[in-house]
Amino acid sequence: MSHKEVENKPIHGNPPDEQLANGPIENRSCRDLICFILFVAATVAFVVIISMGFNQGKPERLSYAYDPNGRACGHDDGVFNAPYIYLVAPLVGYLNRSVCVSQCPNWKEGAKQPTRLKCVVNKVITNCSERYSYDGVNDIRDFDVDFLINSNNYANEPSVDKLFNYSTFIYNSTSVLNRLCIPSGDEYVSKIYGNMDDIASVQVFQQWVADIRLTYKILFASVGIAFAIGLFYMLVMRYCAGTLTWTAIFLYFVCIVLFIIYLNDKANAYKTRAALNTAKGIADVDNQDLQTYYGLKGSMIGMCIIGGLSLLGLLCYFNRIRMAIAVIKTAALFVMEVPSVMLVPPIFSILVMGYWGLWIISFFYIYSMGDIKGSSDTPLATVEWNDNIRYYLIYHLFYGLWSNALLQAFSQFILASSACLWFYQHSDGQLIHFYVLESVKRSIIYHFGSLIFGALLLAIVQFIRFWLEYINYQMKQFQGDPKQPVKCFIDCLRCYASCFERFVSFINKNAFIQIALTGESFITAAKNGFYLAWNNAGQFAVTSGIGSVFCNLCKLFIAFSTTFLCYMIITTSDAYKDELNSPIVPTLLFFIISYVIGDLFMSVYGMAIDAILQCSITELELVKAKPGLLQKKRAPQPIQDFLEEHKK
């Protein structure tokens, strides 16, 4: 579809509201009140459920370790004075051989090793004394070597498995969380495992910690450096996005031409060799050089076709590429002129982390409302619930997904609304200086229900995905690898659900931008946003493709530039290089921190590109309907330049 054909099609489900000629519509009202009421009711139910959890839950019992008799060490009768669980054979597969002890066995180097645990016996561990036995009766240390070699002295042949099942090892240990005795030192390893050559040294970890402490100032400084590099990148995008884009396109065609020339030269060389082989009487079927020549010739023709189609695509999409460049430049200008938008992602990230912290705590309270008891197979607690508690947990999960999606919706809407308000900052000389605050106000007062609606759709899809993943996990746990048809069916459902989640996210994003522009309800905005994307699929694809490339380059540029600068500081500065054990761990942290900052920049930049693209397409149609609007110079300079050139 040509650019002119796109111009003749309505970009919305209906023609754009003429009020958009003055920027985002100011006359707004509360939308999707039913969704708001539904969310309030859901929140009340959520509060009731977590209140029940806080009142009836016993999460502290989940933290206790249990002996094979099902008693909580340090809590239940009989083991109240034995708060630690001790694994007499600390190996996976033998976790059921545990006992409650009053203290973890620990002795200093050179001191006499204890031969008896201070424990409370149970049905598995009936004796607290140290012993090495294959049968649970005899201690192999009481016999000489000849006796041990003769396996007839045992009912069955001795084995390592029997040794671990009947022995009680006493090893140097230390307590963790005042619940569990874990081995300390190398002595028990040499006794049970052999050696510790493959286990990370504690000394290395201590060196890592020391390096982090030494370079903590540079770690904090890396945040500021990453921000500065991000702003520099935005400046480059503002002025050089077009140059970079056209240069990349030019280099793409240069590479195609050079590759075609290379293939042609190689084909001619093999053609000459094939002719010599033919002159020697070699049949064409056996002439390998001739077959290679045909292959290279076919590849060259294929590359010519690709180059021709690429050139045709460039000619057809020339105006779309120009508009995409203008949008990318404008988005960079927006980020530079409205730096307060950079606060939106970290603030909402903190809110999301805080919410999930509350969610996890309340989950454990609800989870512990069931019957908590020990297991004979593991020291960990097991919980049995009735149907009501299961329903509480399912609802708790769904509400968590819904609230998380709602916070993301707020963040997206605030960024989109800020970009839309800024885009029309020159409309009739009316300026709105506090774009972010105005967007927050609109999201809460007018569009809370619409954001709830979009978040609900996304949460439903994510909830379905969760259960499909759970079903897939359970099938593998209970059946091993499921049969191929069943596995294929489940994998297809998981793939469809994943694709549909991305589709809903796309619909939501465009709907929120339309809400920021027009103030419509969610369904109307989603319909208009879908029509906009459908009727301008080429423009959306080009802008999204070029924007994605620049966004990914930005993240890598910020990460590697910041990491390199900080690395040079810690390896060349006298304050660090002499005391630093190794620059590896600090450098890795530099990269992680700067990459997160780059991702933060791109979350703002990417949403700005999407919002400004819709504003630009809407402005293009409004200018077509009312050419006089172009004289008001309402749009930012890059878009204004494009519109003026497009009119010629």
Side-chain angles (χ1 to χ4, degrees):
M1 184 180 294
S2 69
H3 187 73
K4 294 296 183 183
E5 286 177 307
V6 174
E7 292 178 2
N8 294 327
K9 297 175 70 69
I11 61 172
H12 299 78
N14 298 304
D17 194 321
E18 292 185 359
Q19 295 183 64
L20 288 174
N22 296 319
I25 294 175
E26 296 291 334
N27 186 18
R28 296 172 181 254
S29 60
C30 295
R31 301 288 189 175
D32 297 308
L33 286 176
I34 294 177
C35 294
F36 175 76
I37 295 171
L38 178 63
F39 184 74
V40 170
T43 303
V44 171
F46 177 74
V47 171
V48 169
I49 290 174
I50 63 174
S51 298
M52 293 171 58
F54 287 137
N55 289 329
Q56 302 176 25
K58 302 174 288 293
E60 68 279 357
R61 284 190 62 84
L62 296 174
S63 66
Y64 285 102
Y66 292 76
D67 72 356
N69 287 7
R71 298 173 297 185
C73 298
H75 184 275
D76 291 347
D77 294 338
V79 291
F80 184 80
N81 293 320
Y84 307 103
I85 195 73
Y86 180 85
L87 305 176
V88 299
L91 290 168
V92 176
Y94 304 94
L95 300 181
N96 62 318
R97 294 186 52 74
S98 59
V99 63
C100 296
V101 296
S102 58
Q103 66 181 44
C104 298
N106 186 278
W107 61 93
K108 296 182 179 180
E109 185 177 355
K112 184 179 180 181
Q113 175 183 334
T115 59
R116 184 177 178 83
L117 296 169
K118 297 180 180 179
C119 72
V120 178
V121 296
N122 53 59
K123 63 182 181 181
V124 175
I125 307 300
T126 58
N127 192 312
C128 293
S129 298
E130 181 181 37
R131 63 177 176 178
Y132 295 76
S133 176
Y134 286 117
D135 53 17
V137 177
N138 300 305
D139 193 313
I140 62 176
R141 294 174 298 180
D142 295 336
F143 305 101
D144 57 27
V145 175
D146 293 334
F147 182 89
L148 296 176
I149 293 176
N150 186 3
S151 61
N152 293 327
N153 290 311
Y154 296 91
N156 295 300
E157 185 177 353
S159 67
V160 174
D161 182 63
K162 286 185 177 181
L163 177 64
F164 289 142
N165 270 317
Y166 292 116
S167 299
T168 299
F169 300 102
I170 297 180
Y171 49 84
N172 218 335
S173 62
T174 185
S175 65
V176 175
L177 302 176
N178 292 322
R179 292 286 188 271
L180 173 66
C181 297
I182 64 169
S184 62
D186 299 347
E187 182 179 351
Y188 90 98
V189 179
S190 60
K191 181 183 296 184
I192 299 176
Y193 297 100
N195 61 66
M196 285 186 67
D197 291 340
D198 59 338
I199 298 178
S201 170
V202 174
Q203 183 179 5
V204 174
F205 179 75
Q206 291 175 341
Q207 290 176 351
W208 292 351
V209 174
D211 290 339
I212 294 172
R213 287 178 176 175
L214 177 65
T215 59
Y216 79 94
K217 293 181 180 179
I218 308 301
L219 288 171
F220 283 111
S222 67
V223 176
I225 295 173
F227 263 102
I229 293 175
L231 291 175
F232 171 75
Y233 189 88
M234 292 296 103
L235 183 64
V236 172
M237 288 296 98
R238 167 65 181 88
Y239 293 103
C240 304
T243 303
L244 293 174
T245 301
W246 293 119
T247 300
I249 293 174
F250 173 75
L251 292 176
Y252 168 77
F253 283 103
V254 168
C255 290
I256 288 181
V257 171
L258 291 176
F259 193 46
I260 291 173
I261 294 174
Y262 170 79
L263 291 174
N264 184 63
D265 289 343
K266 295 292 290 185
N268 290 333
Y270 275 97
K271 182 180 180 181
T272 302
R273 293 169 58 179
L276 293 175
N277 291 335
T278 301
K280 294 177 182 179
I282 300 175
D284 290 349
V285 176
D286 299 325
N287 195 335
Q288 295 297 324
D289 290 330
L290 183 62
Q291 303 302 321
T292 303
Y293 163 73
Y294 287 142
L296 290 171
K297 205 68 175 177
S299 300
M300 185 184 71
I301 294 172
M303 288 303 301
C304 289
I305 293 173
I306 292 174
L309 293 175
S310 299
L311 182 59
L312 180 62
L314 175 63
L315 296 176
C316 293
Y317 281 79
F318 183 76
N319 278 332
R320 290 187 176 94
I321 295 174
R322 288 178 55 243
M323 185 172 181
I325 292 171
V327 169
I328 290 170
K329 287 183 176 181
T330 305
L333 184 61
F334 165 70
V335 175
M336 293 175 62
E337 291 191 358
V338 191
S340 56
V341 295
M342 297 303 302
L343 297 175
V344 175
I347 288 175
F348 275 91
S349 297
I350 293 172
L351 290 176
V352 168
M353 288 188 291
Y355 170 75
W356 280 111
L358 172 63
W359 188 92
I360 292 171
I361 293 172
S362 58
F363 172 82
F364 278 111
Y365 272 92
I366 299 170
Y367 182 88
S368 63
M369 289 172 63
D371 183 18
I372 303 175
K373 54 186 179 181
S375 168
S376 59
D377 299 325
T378 173
L380 301 178
T382 58
V383 186
E384 295 182 358
W385 310 290
N386 57 36
D387 289 339
N388 287 336
I389 298 177
R390 285 191 175 89
Y391 295 145
Y392 295 158
L393 290 170
I394 293 172
Y395 180 79
H396 191 261
L397 170 64
F398 177 76
Y399 185 86
L401 295 174
W402 192 1
S403 298
N404 181 71
L406 179 59
L407 289 172
Q408 293 178 4
F410 266 107
S411 177
Q412 286 183 322
F413 176 82
I414 291 170
L415 293 174
S417 178
S418 299
C420 293
L421 290 170
W422 172 86
F423 186 92
Y424 291 99
Q425 65 175 330
H426 302 297
S427 178
D428 297 327
Q430 296 178 0
L431 299 179
I432 301 176
H433 298 286
F434 301 102
Y435 305 107
V436 174
L437 293 179
E438 178 67 20
S439 300
V440 171
K441 184 189 78 173
R442 292 185 178 188
S443 66
I444 296 174
I445 297 177
Y446 302 117
H447 307 303
F448 206 144
S450 300
L451 300 181
I452 289 171
F453 196 162
L456 176 61
L457 295 179
L458 184 60
I460 291 173
V461 178
Q462 291 175 339
F463 188 69
I464 294 172
R465 280 199 67 191
F466 172 84
W467 283 108
L468 288 174
E469 295 295 336
Y470 178 76
I471 291 171
N472 184 61
Y473 171 78
Q474 291 297 327
M475 289 176 59
K476 291 182 178 179
Q477 290 294 309
F478 292 104
Q479 302 178 8
D481 289 331
K483 295 181 179 179
Q484 194 63 33
V486 177
K487 182 178 184 300
C488 182
F489 177 71
I490 294 297
D491 288 343
C492 286
L493 289 180
R494 292 165 60 205
C495 180
Y496 294 150
S498 177
C499 292
F500 193 63
E501 180 183 359
R502 288 193 288 271
F503 175 74
V504 171
S505 298
F506 175 78
I507 292 295
N508 279 359
K509 179 177 65 177
N510 290 321
F512 296 153
I513 296 172
Q514 283 296 306
I515 292 171
L517 277 171
T518 65
E520 296 286 355
S521 64
F522 179 83
I523 292 179
T524 303
K527 181 188 69 173
N528 289 338
F530 179 77
Y531 274 113
L532 183 71
W534 179 264
N535 290 329
N536 296 272
Q539 186 63 65
F540 269 73
V542 170
T543 306
S544 176
I546 297 175
S548 296
V549 170
F550 281 125
C551 286
N552 290 325
L553 285 176
C554 177
K555 286 189 281 190
L556 294 177
F557 179 74
I558 292 175
F560 282 108
S561 299
T562 304
T563 302
F564 175 75
L565 290 175
C566 294
Y567 172 82
M568 293 302 296
I569 292 174
I570 64 174
T571 55
T572 59
S573 174
D574 294 335
Y576 300 103
K577 67 178 183 180
D578 294 332
E579 299 184 28
L580 194 66
N581 295 296
S582 171
I584 294 177
V585 173
T587 302
L588 179 62
L589 291 178
F590 295 149
F591 183 84
I592 294 173
I593 292 171
S594 55
Y595 188 85
V596 169
I597 299 298
D599 191 61
L600 182 151
F601 259 94
M602 289 307 100
S603 66
V604 176
Y605 189 47
M607 195 65 192
I609 289 175
D610 294 327
I612 289 171
L613 173 61
Q614 293 200 27
C615 291
S616 301
I617 296 175
T618 303
E619 182 71 3
L620 181 62
E621 183 160 320
L622 289 170
V623 167
K624 285 194 306 175
K626 294 184 178 182
L629 292 175
L630 190 59
Q631 305 302 321
K632 294 185 177 182
K633 299 184 180 299
R634 306 161 344 117
Q637 192 61 47
I639 299 298
Q640 188 71 26
D641 293 342
F642 172 79
L643 293 175
E644 291 176 355
E645 292 177 10
H646 177 76
K647 183 182 178 182
K648 296 177 182 179

